[in-house]
Amino acid sequence: EYGGIWLITVVMTLLGMEAALIAGAISALSVYAFQSITYLNPIRGSMSADTLRSSAWNRSAAAKDILNNRDTGRKRILMIQLQGHLFFGNVAQLTDSIKRIFSEKQQSNEDPWVVIMDFSLILGMDSSAAQAITKLKSNLHKKFNVDVCVFVAGSRDGFPCQYDLSKELASGEEASDDEDDIDEKSKLRSADHAEDG
């Protein structure tokens, strides 16, 4: 990006304002294309929380029992880390990849009920990508029975886009955050698994 500024300055000095505008446009498009190509796949990785261990060593026995429970614990929490730029060109790939991950989890009877999407490595996103994330949240609740979706922005300023994604993700169709409802859903899921087994 700094190279583009120097290029514009040199071209403006030598060839004038019109040539500098053209050089600036070409420079900006080149930087954007380079950054988009650098991270072709917007998903850096996905894993269950079973593979991630917390640094909290002083958990109570009850908390450890909950986290180690096969039906409601770490195995039922899915982490998805995103990277690069999210824009209209790769957002379809992103949603298709996430749907594929969930289909694979359902086939292996490890369907998650908590999803954590980490946006901390996202450099920027356009409004079409932000709207697709909002739609993806709704699809996760409806099609894959995900009870809780957590979106980690990676900064106190929120998501790197003009669209108010933080507000949209906080409103609309959400799973209930009420602890009694979540506990009740956990009991129902445990009963369902007991009937299946």
Side-chain angles (χ1 to χ4, degrees):
E1 292 176 3
Y2 291 115
I5 294 170
W6 281 106
L7 174 70
I8 293 168
T9 304
V10 170
V11 170
M12 188 170 15
T13 304
L14 298 176
L15 301 174
M17 186 64 140
E18 290 89 14
L21 286 171
I22 293 170
I26 292 171
S27 173
L29 289 173
S30 300
V31 167
Y32 182 73
F34 175 74
Q35 289 177 342
S36 297
I37 291 171
T38 303
Y39 299 111
L40 288 176
N41 188 356
I43 297 178
R44 182 172 187 210
S46 67
M47 66 204 79
S48 77
D50 196 36
T51 60
L52 302 171
R53 293 294 175 181
S54 173
S55 61
W57 295 101
N58 57 352
R59 292 195 194 280
S60 67
K64 288 179 182 177
D65 288 343
I66 291 170
L67 288 173
N68 293 330
N69 186 309
R70 185 179 173 278
D71 296 325
T72 60
R74 287 184 180 108
K75 285 191 178 285
R76 303 297 298 277
I77 300 171
L78 179 66
M79 296 269 309
I80 300 173
Q81 187 174 34
L82 306 176
Q83 66 182 355
H85 287 276
L86 294 180
F87 63 106
F88 65 93
N90 67 2
V91 75
Q93 178 187 7
L94 171 69
T95 55
D96 290 345
S97 296
I98 290 175
K99 287 177 185 176
R100 187 184 75 251
I101 290 168
F102 274 87
S103 295
E104 291 170 3
K105 292 283 187 186
Q106 279 184 333
Q107 289 174 355
S108 64
N109 289 330
E110 295 179 359
D111 48 331
W113 66 287
V114 175
V115 175
I116 301 171
M117 294 186 71
D118 182 4
F119 285 78
S120 59
L121 297 178
I122 294 295
L123 303 172
M125 72 173 80
D126 67 6
S127 61
S128 63
Q131 290 171 354
I133 296 297
T134 304
K135 193 175 195 179
L136 177 65
K137 176 191 173 196
S138 176
N139 285 337
L140 291 177
H141 287 303
K142 289 179 185 174
K143 292 183 181 177
F144 298 105
N145 298 321
V146 172
D147 291 332
V148 179
C149 288
V150 178
F151 296 86
V152 181
S155 125
R156 292 184 187 264
D157 298 331
F159 294 93
C161 62
Q162 296 296 320
Y163 183 75
D164 196 358
L165 185 57
S166 298
K167 179 182 174 186
E168 289 297 319
L169 291 175
S171 67
E173 298 176 7
E174 307 183 340
S176 174
D177 289 338
D178 184 46
E179 289 181 20
D180 293 334
D181 285 350
I182 291 173
D183 188 45
E184 191 63 33
K185 288 179 182 181
S186 298
K187 288 177 186 175
L188 290 173
R189 285 177 184 259
S190 297
D192 289 343
H193 284 286
E195 290 174 7
D196 293 340

